[in-house]
Amino acid sequence: MYQVIINHENNDIVIGDITAKDISKRLLSGKINKERNAVGNFEFDIPLDNIGYNYLNPMKTQIRVLNTFTNKNVFEGRILKQSNLLENEGKVYKTFKAEDKLGYLIDSVQVYGEYNSINEAITALLNTHNLCVEDWKKIYIGEITLKVDAEEKIVLNYKDSLENIKDLISSYGGEVNIRTEKNINYFDYKDIIGEYTETEIKLGVNLKKFEEDIDPTQCYSRVMPVGAKLKTTDSEGKEVDSEERITIASINNNSLYIEDEELIKKIGYVTKILEYDDEEDKDALKQNAIEFLKTQKLSISNNITALDLSILGLKYDAFTLGNFYKLDVPFFNVDYYVRVVKETIDINNPHTSSLTFGDKVVDIKDYQLESKKQVTNYEQIKLEVENTAKKVEKINKSVTTNTKKVEILEGDLSGYVKKTTYNNFVNTINENFNKVNNEIKNIKERLTKLEGGTTT
């Protein structure tokens, strides 16, 4: 499943492998955390009897984590920090924290420079970086496709290289990534790094839990635009600003408000004041208000637990940070793409790994806020649930046997098994997916409630 590999004296050494019989290739724990536009990290505990115990040097040792099913590295970087631990029962081990290759940019500093484009600035930044570091930390310009309309020069300052990159992201947006091909590191800077995939997140397949939070509290059906403060004269005859502001009443049928009738029908009268401190043109104020109502967005946050079936050796694509996946939950009329914005991988217990999906932003008018009973899809979903339940009944007899195997895999360090045993298990896990039964039971209960019945 996952192998942890270090480079020691130009040789690759496996120091972590959940399927290895050899205890010298065993890590006590290991967890990878990755997030967009951030330096990813890998923290792990290594026991005294591990083959790599004395080969790990902060800032120097290169380390990677390989997914053996996809044959792709899910983490590449260097050892950063070390802690030595001795517990009262005599347990001796070390804890290490590694950072991914984006962290290499911390090791170099930039001089002040002004540039005409993002491409020119990144080229200069990487050239300076490469003059400051060892060969294995050098990074070369990759795909720079960020679209920037900068009227002024793009500036690099007297900071480390990563701080300069963060300043560029703060000013111009976009996403960055270090991509390694044939042992050469490339720096990519794009509007969005990721792609739309064919992998779906579906009930009864890889969707374990779904929660959709729709928050219309920051949406408004009526706005009052106000501009610059009106002038008045104080007791000494000096002109000063009053608290009264320019409004649109005189050009808007004596009304202070701009309203959206369609939104009023959906959310009622919800009013917001729009302040434009320097605006004295009433027509401009009115147009700003109209545009504000038109461009409002409704944020839909998702709390999704999705099972990455690729880690079990099944024929599903792995979830990848930044990629978009089709979310299909017909029971709630959910049919849209969600994006992985954060990923946590537990290399010893991959079943506990987690994914964080980003919020969906939609035009408020395109989303029906009223409660729906989902009558259209109800009968079809009910039939699918009943058919799936029949299949579940047929496999229940074999679940007990496989549950014992799961307990072995999910156990503590004594749970390491032979690779052949493990592979035999993952080849049958798709047919004996013991989570399905509980999911079906939950859905049937909800269906019963919709029919007006009760559950026991």
Side-chain angles (χ1 to χ4, degrees):
M1 182 149 328
Y2 294 111
Q3 287 184 342
V4 181
I5 304 166
I6 63 169
N7 183 280
H8 178 66
E9 297 180 351
N10 294 321
N11 293 314
D12 283 346
I13 300 176
V14 177
I15 66 169
D17 188 342
I18 190 175
T19 64
K21 184 178 180 181
D22 186 351
I23 62 172
S24 70
K25 296 181 179 180
R26 181 176 71 187
L27 292 177
L28 300 176
S29 67
K31 186 171 289 187
I32 299 169
N33 294 288
K34 297 192 292 184
E35 195 168 352
R36 291 179 303 150
N37 286 341
V39 178
N41 65 76
F42 172 42
E43 296 187 58
F44 62 95
D45 296 336
I46 185 170
L48 182 62
D49 56 359
N50 188 284
I51 189 175
Y53 188 80
N54 294 313
Y55 295 159
L56 301 169
N57 300 303
M59 305 298 291
K60 292 287 292 182
T61 302
Q62 299 172 63
I63 188 168
R64 61 190 175 96
V65 180
L66 175 70
N67 183 325
T68 57
F69 286 130
T70 63
N71 200 34
K72 294 182 180 179
N73 293 317
V74 295
F75 180 88
E76 294 180 87
R78 58 151 175 213
I79 299 296
L80 184 65
K81 297 179 181 179
Q82 171 184 334
S83 299
N84 301 322
L85 294 100
L86 171 63
E87 298 184 353
N88 56 11
E89 65 269 23
K91 184 178 179 181
V92 179
Y93 64 100
K94 295 178 182 178
T95 293
F96 287 94
K97 182 176 182 178
E99 65 177 0
D100 68 21
K101 291 183 176 182
L102 189 62
Y104 294 174
L105 292 172
I106 298 173
D107 293 358
S108 62
V109 295
Q110 299 292 317
V111 296
Y112 184 88
E114 297 181 357
Y115 304 93
N116 296 315
S117 68
I118 287 289
N119 195 298
E120 185 179 326
I122 295 298
T123 299
L125 182 145
L126 294 177
N127 287 341
T128 300
H129 168 78
N130 290 342
L131 290 173
C132 298
V133 299
E134 304 94 315
D135 286 345
W136 59 273
K137 289 191 288 186
K138 290 182 177 180
I139 303 171
Y140 300 90
I141 193 163
E143 299 179 22
I144 311 297
T145 60
L146 180 74
K147 298 176 182 177
V148 172
D149 295 325
E151 297 180 358
E152 301 178 354
K153 295 284 187 178
I154 295 172
V155 176
L156 299 181
N157 280 301
Y158 295 103
K159 301 177 181 179
D160 71 49
S161 299
L162 184 59
E163 286 183 287
N164 273 282
I165 292 296
K166 290 181 177 179
D167 287 344
L168 293 178
I169 294 172
S170 177
S171 298
Y172 306 110
E175 298 177 357
V176 300
N177 178 57
I178 304 296
R179 169 174 48 88
T180 303
E181 294 183 2
K182 296 181 179 179
N183 295 321
I184 299 177
N185 302 319
Y186 295 98
F187 181 89
D188 297 334
Y189 192 5
K190 304 179 180 180
D191 291 286
I192 292 178
I193 294 179
E195 59 186 22
Y196 285 83
T197 71
E198 295 182 358
T199 297
E200 293 186 324
I201 303 174
K202 300 184 67 173
L203 180 67
V205 180
N206 55 1
L207 178 61
K208 184 178 179 181
K209 178 183 177 182
F210 169 78
E211 180 181 343
E212 183 184 54
D213 186 13
I214 305 159
D215 183 9
T217 58
Q218 297 303 311
C219 294
Y220 304 90
S221 59
R222 179 170 64 177
V223 294
M224 179 197 297
V226 294
K229 292 182 178 181
L230 296 175
K231 301 294 183 180
T232 188
T233 303
D234 64 13
S235 58
E236 298 179 357
K238 296 180 180 179
E239 188 178 65
V240 295
D241 288 338
S242 70
E243 291 304 311
E244 189 177 1
R245 290 175 176 266
I246 295 173
T247 70
I248 63 171
S250 63
I251 63 167
N252 193 48
N253 297 322
N254 292 323
S255 174
L256 297 171
Y257 307 104
I258 298 295
E259 299 178 347
D260 188 313
E261 295 297 334
E262 188 176 344
L263 276 179
I264 290 173
K265 292 177 182 178
K266 292 185 175 182
I267 65 175
Y269 286 96
V270 183
T271 307
K272 178 180 177 63
I273 294 178
L274 302 177
E275 296 182 354
Y276 301 95
D277 294 339
D278 300 321
E279 187 59 71
E280 297 180 356
D281 187 328
K282 296 180 180 180
D283 289 321
L285 280 178
K286 183 174 181 179
Q287 189 59 39
N288 287 341
I290 293 172
E291 289 300 316
F292 175 87
L293 289 176
K294 282 183 180 179
T295 57
Q296 286 187 100
K297 300 297 180 182
L298 177 67
S299 178
I300 303 175
S301 60
N302 299 293
N303 181 2
I304 303 166
T305 302
L307 305 173
D308 191 343
L309 300 182
S310 69
I311 65 176
L312 297 175
L314 304 178
K315 295 181 179 179
Y316 290 88
D317 292 334
F319 289 117
T320 302
L321 182 69
N323 279 358
F324 296 81
Y325 299 89
K326 185 69 167 295
L327 179 61
D328 184 7
V329 189
F331 200 87
F332 294 109
N333 273 354
V334 170
D335 184 17
Y336 52 72
Y337 280 89
V338 290
R339 190 184 190 204
V340 177
V341 296
K342 188 175 181 181
E343 182 179 14
T344 299
I345 301 173
D346 189 326
I347 64 169
N348 280 2
N349 302 287
H351 59 283
T352 65
S353 298
S354 63
L355 301 164
T356 300
F357 293 88
D359 293 351
K360 177 179 174 61
V361 179
V362 299
D363 190 309
I364 186 171
K365 293 182 182 178
D366 291 339
Y367 197 93
Q368 181 59 270
L369 295 176
E370 289 91 346
S371 174
K372 295 183 177 181
K373 294 184 178 180
Q374 312 299 340
V375 176
T376 304
N377 293 330
Y378 173 78
E379 291 299 332
Q380 180 181 351
I381 297 170
K382 180 179 178 181
L383 180 60
E384 291 176 359
V385 169
E386 290 174 348
N387 289 338
T388 306
K390 293 177 181 178
K391 295 178 182 179
V392 171
E393 291 175 2
K394 293 180 181 180
I395 68 170
N396 274 341
K397 293 181 181 179
S398 60
V399 169
T400 302
T401 301
N402 281 318
T403 298
K404 294 179 181 179
K405 296 177 183 179
V406 173
E407 290 172 352
I408 293 174
L409 289 174
E410 295 182 349
D412 56 15
L413 294 176
S414 64
Y416 284 86
V417 295
K418 293 181 180 180
K419 194 167 185 178
T420 54
T421 303
Y422 177 77
N423 287 336
N424 287 336
F425 166 67
V426 297
N427 286 334
T428 60
I429 193 67
N430 193 30
E431 298 178 288
N432 304 299
F433 196 50
N434 60 351
K435 297 293 185 180
V436 177
N437 200 19
N438 287 333
E439 296 295 334
I440 298 301
K441 180 180 178 181
N442 291 337
I443 297 171
K444 289 178 71 175
E445 289 177 352
R446 291 159 68 185
L447 288 170
T448 301
K449 290 179 179 179
L450 286 176
E451 290 174 335
T454 59
T455 59
T456 57

